[in-house]
Amino acid sequence: MPAYQVFNRTTGDSFTCNGDQSVLKAMEAVGKKCVPVGCRGGGCGFCKIRVLEGDFECGKMSKAHVPPEALAQGEVLACRIYPQADLTIECVPQPVDAVVEQATRAKQTTTRAMR
Amino acid sequence: MKKGVMRPGHVQIRVLDMKEAVEHYTDLMGLIETDRDVEGRVYLKAWTEVDKFSVVLRETDQPGCDFMGFKVLNEDTLVSLTQDLKDFGLEVEEIPAEELKGCGRRVRFTVASGHAFELYADKEYTGKWGVTEVNPEAWPRDLGGMKAVRFDHSLFYGPNLPEVLDVFTNVLGFHLAEQVMDPDGNRIAQFLTASMKEHDIAFIHSDKPGQLHHTSFYLETWDDVLRAADLISMTDTSIDIGPTRHGLTHGKTIYFFDPSGNRCEVFSGGDYTYPDHKPVTWTADELGKAIFYHDRQLNERFLTVLT
């Protein structure tokens, strides 16, 4: 199975990915964290990236996270793409969830109060 | 069961690939396939469940949960609760009998968090799977995988939790077993029950409506949870976190994903509750410990990865 290089332009990381391996799985296998890891099943949209250069094959992904217009812009889920050439990718920012914000704020408030 | 809602009865889960999904829920988790319908939906149950199915899988291009159903005592209860839901101001949709094979008529409504729920009174009684009704053995010898005991509860993310609490407690007769409060006095998580279980349904606040966090199945022991973790590794299944213990409910748990990214839980133990128990309260500044009692740290993936 041919191996390809994946270069993350946002973080400067690069790693090797086999043609039968998802980009996310290859990244996890070498211990890199340059793309957020979610469900690994094409459902949650956490690992959304934009492919700037290179061909790839694509598995099933949630339409909620990758509607056809996003796919046309090269937006895909890293857990569902299999490189057919060297890839250049970039991260797509995720919206911050309210619960995490609230909990983080609560923790900060408490820490301040304890001083 | 103050208003006649007995228990969680079913959940319909959307999957990207039916073949992969069925393998996950049967071979790995140990559910039993009981039927399929003309729409291509697959019906599953856990072995101790007495009715025909508790999990329905539907293939489509967007994972998540279509609805969760609760079984009520009888037809009279269904009629009166339907009126109570209408009086509360909710729109109620009548789903005819046999729309799900073997299930009587269902009454569907969507609460303010954007999640659809159903009530029904009748479903084909097929008995526990693999054991006789009279003088039953302890368990069937040909169960697969994790040998899930029952569909236990679902956890949903969405907005307007106070309105949701109002419907579930005042209309449907659930009580609030556990809660997480933020420093401003807002309830950011609510665990509700119609039984003695610490949750039959739970909600966590999120601005985005209608999201599924996980579907949960009960196992008998902590050793079964560890064995489930072994199976997750053996099958290279996407793991989320665990085995560990929750602060909330104190259940012993492991989380993982189905092949479409829907989160599943299997757990054992956990606290019990009665209607006279005050809600157990966790504070948002201890949310890490409330969720993962050992790590005591917030895990962004657990809080934000949803379908």
Side-chain angles (χ1 to χ4, degrees):
Chain A
M1 183 54 66
Y4 303 102
Q5 284 300 304
V6 179
F7 173 63
N8 185 333
R9 199 177 73 170
T10 310
T11 62
D13 288 280
S14 62
F15 53 91
T16 303
C17 183
N18 293 330
D20 61 351
Q21 196 176 27
S22 80
V23 164
L24 196 72
K25 187 150 192 160
M27 181 201 79
E28 283 197 278
V30 295
K32 291 196 183 284
K33 295 178 176 174
C34 62
V35 175
V37 179
C39 71
R40 307 182 187 89
C44 73
F46 217 52
C47 65
K48 193 187 271 193
I49 55 169
R50 191 175 293 111
V51 178
L52 303 170
E53 281 175 32
D55 292 335
F56 56 89
E57 283 184 358
C58 204
K60 290 179 181 174
M61 302 178 288
S62 173
K63 223 175 187 171
H65 299 292
V66 188
E69 57 272 24
L71 191 58
Q73 302 293 315
E75 285 184 18
V76 289
L77 304 182
C79 66
R80 291 295 205 187
I81 66 160
Y82 305 85
Q84 302 299 306
D86 290 348
L87 299 181
T88 302
I89 64 172
E90 66 179 12
C91 296
V92 178
Q94 291 286 319
V96 179
D97 190 85
V99 172
V100 179
E101 268 189 340
Q102 275 176 350
T104 310
R105 203 179 71 227
K107 193 96 193 171
Q108 285 165 350
T109 308
T110 311
T111 310
R112 273 203 301 277
M114 284 167 65
R115 277 185 191 138
Chain B
M1 213 179 64
K2 280 179 275 188
K3 300 278 179 80
V5 178
M6 280 195 293
R7 57 176 169 82
H10 57 236
V11 63
Q12 183 164 303
I13 299 168
R14 299 188 299 267
V15 300
L16 293 169
D17 184 292
M18 186 58 80
K19 184 170 174 290
E20 290 179 359
V22 170
E23 282 173 10
H24 174 90
Y25 287 98
T26 58
D27 294 350
L28 177 62
M29 297 191 66
L31 300 184
I32 298 123
E33 183 177 331
T34 59
D35 210 345
R36 295 187 178 222
D37 66 22
V38 289
E39 291 177 51
R41 291 181 296 186
V42 176
Y43 298 56
L44 309 166
K45 70 180 276 181
W47 77 269
T48 67
E49 292 167 347
V50 294
D51 289 345
K52 177 174 172 170
F53 64 86
S54 60
V55 174
V56 180
L57 303 175
R58 181 171 76 89
E59 186 177 280
T60 181
D61 56 15
Q62 185 178 333
C65 177
D66 282 331
F67 53 80
M68 177 178 176
F70 294 95
K71 191 174 190 186
V72 304
L73 276 175
N74 50 39
E75 177 65 21
D76 287 348
T77 307
L78 186 57
V79 170
S80 66
L81 285 175
T82 303
Q83 189 57 50
D84 294 344
L85 288 166
K86 288 178 181 168
D87 292 345
F88 185 84
L90 288 174
E91 278 187 40
V92 169
E93 183 187 358
E94 298 273 352
I95 316 283
E98 291 301 315
E99 194 276 336
L100 279 169
K101 287 167 78 174
C103 189
R105 74 182 188 92
R106 291 131 64 202
V107 170
R108 188 182 294 171
F109 55 98
T110 300
V111 300
S113 59
H115 299 94
F117 293 99
E118 299 182 342
L119 304 178
Y120 67 95
D122 295 306
K123 193 182 282 181
E124 187 183 338
Y125 192 101
T126 52
K128 293 182 183 182
W129 184 88
V131 292
T132 52
E133 199 166 328
V134 178
N135 305 330
E137 300 296 351
W139 35 265
R141 279 176 290 179
D142 41 358
L143 289 169
M146 297 176 187
K147 308 179 185 185
V149 173
R150 65 165 183 258
F151 163 50
D152 190 88
H153 65 268
S154 294
L155 169 58
F156 295 112
Y157 271 46
N160 305 315
L161 294 200
E163 290 91 325
V164 175
L165 182 67
D166 197 8
V167 177
F168 272 87
T169 54
N170 294 322
V171 181
L172 300 175
F174 284 64
H175 79 270
L176 181 64
E178 306 224 357
Q179 58 185 354
V180 179
M181 306 300 286
D182 78 4
D184 303 323
N186 300 306
R187 188 178 291 105
I188 60 172
Q190 53 200 28
F191 287 45
L192 296 152
T193 184
S195 65
M196 284 179 62
K197 290 158 51 198
E198 208 65 357
H199 47 352
D200 285 321
I201 176 93
F203 296 90
I204 290 183
H205 173 80
S206 166
D207 293 334
K208 191 177 163 197
Q211 300 177 94
L212 171 66
H213 185 270
H214 71 263
T215 310
S216 182
F217 298 84
Y218 182 76
L219 301 182
E220 204 174 334
T221 67
W222 166 240
D223 203 50
D224 292 326
V225 176
L226 187 75
R227 191 175 164 280
D230 294 341
L231 286 162
I232 287 167
S233 281
M234 287 178 197
T235 53
D236 196 25
T237 297
S238 174
I239 190 167
D240 189 15
I241 196 157
T244 183
R245 184 195 284 278
H246 286 306
L248 284 151
T249 77
H250 296 126
K252 290 156 275 188
T253 178
I254 184 164
Y255 287 89
F256 51 104
F257 295 97
D258 79 8
S260 305
N262 297 302
R263 187 184 279 99
C264 298
E265 176 188 32
V266 290
F267 78 105
S268 68
D271 298 331
Y272 68 88
T273 184
Y274 279 105
D276 65 329
H277 289 199
K278 290 179 185 172
V280 172
T281 301
W282 284 83
T283 54
D285 61 305
E286 291 286 346
L287 190 61
K289 189 174 175 182
I291 297 177
F292 300 116
Y293 189 66
H294 301 144
D295 281 357
R296 286 163 278 150
Q297 280 183 4
L298 281 177
N299 172 319
E300 195 192 353
R301 179 166 68 204
F302 190 80
L303 289 171
T304 56
V305 169
L306 305 158
T307 55

